[in-house]
Amino acid sequence: MKDYFAHESAYIDEGCEIGAGTKIWHFSHVMPNCKIGERCNIGQNVVVSPGVVLGNNVKIQNNVSVYTGVTCDDDVFLGPSMVFTNVINPRSAVNRKSEYAKTHVGKGASIGANATIVCGHNIGSFAFIGAGSVITKNVPDFALVVGNPAKQIGWMSEFGSKLLFNAQGEAVCKETGDRYLLQNNKVTKQ
């Protein structure tokens, strides 16, 4: 007996582990040997390729393909139609499955609609990738990045509010009151 929901139009291949309370919606396909945590929401027309690992409470919006080599920690948000790649130089006539690059998305990170994550670049915990951004390098924890190619324009709290650091490198989340410290271009929650 399964303790997750899958719409009748969804395909779930053999060998998948799917956590309790997860929902898989219309026309989505979860391929073999995926590990999907508890309370995830996989929107309409989503493909989760073989061997992908998703933590708990991952939200995947409509029209996203999560390719082999991608791992997402708990509480990750993948916006509508955002894109992961898994080969640096794809060619239809050349089989490069042995060259799949890995991409890790850290806990609580959000990736906006229509963003593209070029494979082999990791997204830090609680990072925020703006809609339409193209990621061509690693993104630090708590970073706010936008553009093509994406550039860092600030820092975000765990809650998702922009952090404004004073001269001592201290900031307070205006929504929660949590304190953050910026030292050596790294943010830590205090």
Side-chain angles (χ1 to χ4, degrees):
M1 182 172 165
K2 64 183 184 181
D3 50 0
Y4 64 89
F5 166 81
H7 187 269
E8 63 184 19
S9 65
Y11 286 94
I12 313 295
D13 289 344
E14 294 292 322
C16 295
E17 295 177 29
I18 301 173
T22 288
K23 296 178 181 174
I24 303 166
W25 293 101
H26 306 70
F27 315 115
S28 289
H29 186 182
V30 179
M31 298 177 81
N33 305 315
C34 293
K35 293 182 181 174
I36 298 174
E38 297 177 356
R39 301 174 319 282
C40 293
N41 190 67
I42 297 175
Q44 181 174 301
N45 196 38
V46 170
V47 174
V48 182
S49 292
V52 164
V53 177
L54 304 176
N56 296 323
N57 198 42
V58 172
K59 307 291 190 240
I60 305 176
Q61 301 300 296
N62 298 345
N63 307 312
V64 174
S65 294
V66 185
Y67 291 123
T68 300
V70 173
T71 57
C72 296
D73 288 346
D74 295 348
D75 304 319
V76 165
F77 176 86
L78 304 178
S81 302
M82 64 79 49
V83 175
F84 287 105
T85 68
N86 63 1
V87 174
I88 292 293
N89 57 341
R91 293 286 194 202
S92 179
V94 179
N95 184 333
R96 292 200 164 111
K97 289 183 179 180
S98 65
E99 298 176 21
Y100 285 170
K102 298 187 181 316
T103 298
H104 179 80
V105 182
K107 177 179 174 62
S110 293
I111 301 175
N114 294 307
T116 299
I117 311 303
V118 176
C119 60
H121 301 103
N122 297 320
I123 310 300
S125 296
F126 305 105
F128 192 97
I129 312 301
S133 297
V134 178
I135 300 303
T136 59
K137 59 185 176 184
N138 290 338
V139 176
D141 294 350
F142 300 103
L144 169 60
V145 299
V146 298
N148 179 8
K151 293 187 178 8
Q152 186 173 350
I153 62 166
W155 302 97
M156 298 288 271
S157 71
E158 284 184 15
F159 189 83
S161 290
K162 192 168 183 181
L163 293 171
L164 302 173
F165 288 92
N166 63 22
Q168 291 75 39
E170 300 166 336
V172 176
C173 175
K174 65 183 178 182
E175 303 291 336
T176 65
D178 291 337
R179 298 182 154 310
Y180 294 84
L181 184 62
L182 174 62
Q183 289 181 316
N184 301 319
N185 208 33
K186 290 185 180 181
V187 171
T188 54
K189 184 177 173 188
Q190 300 301 291

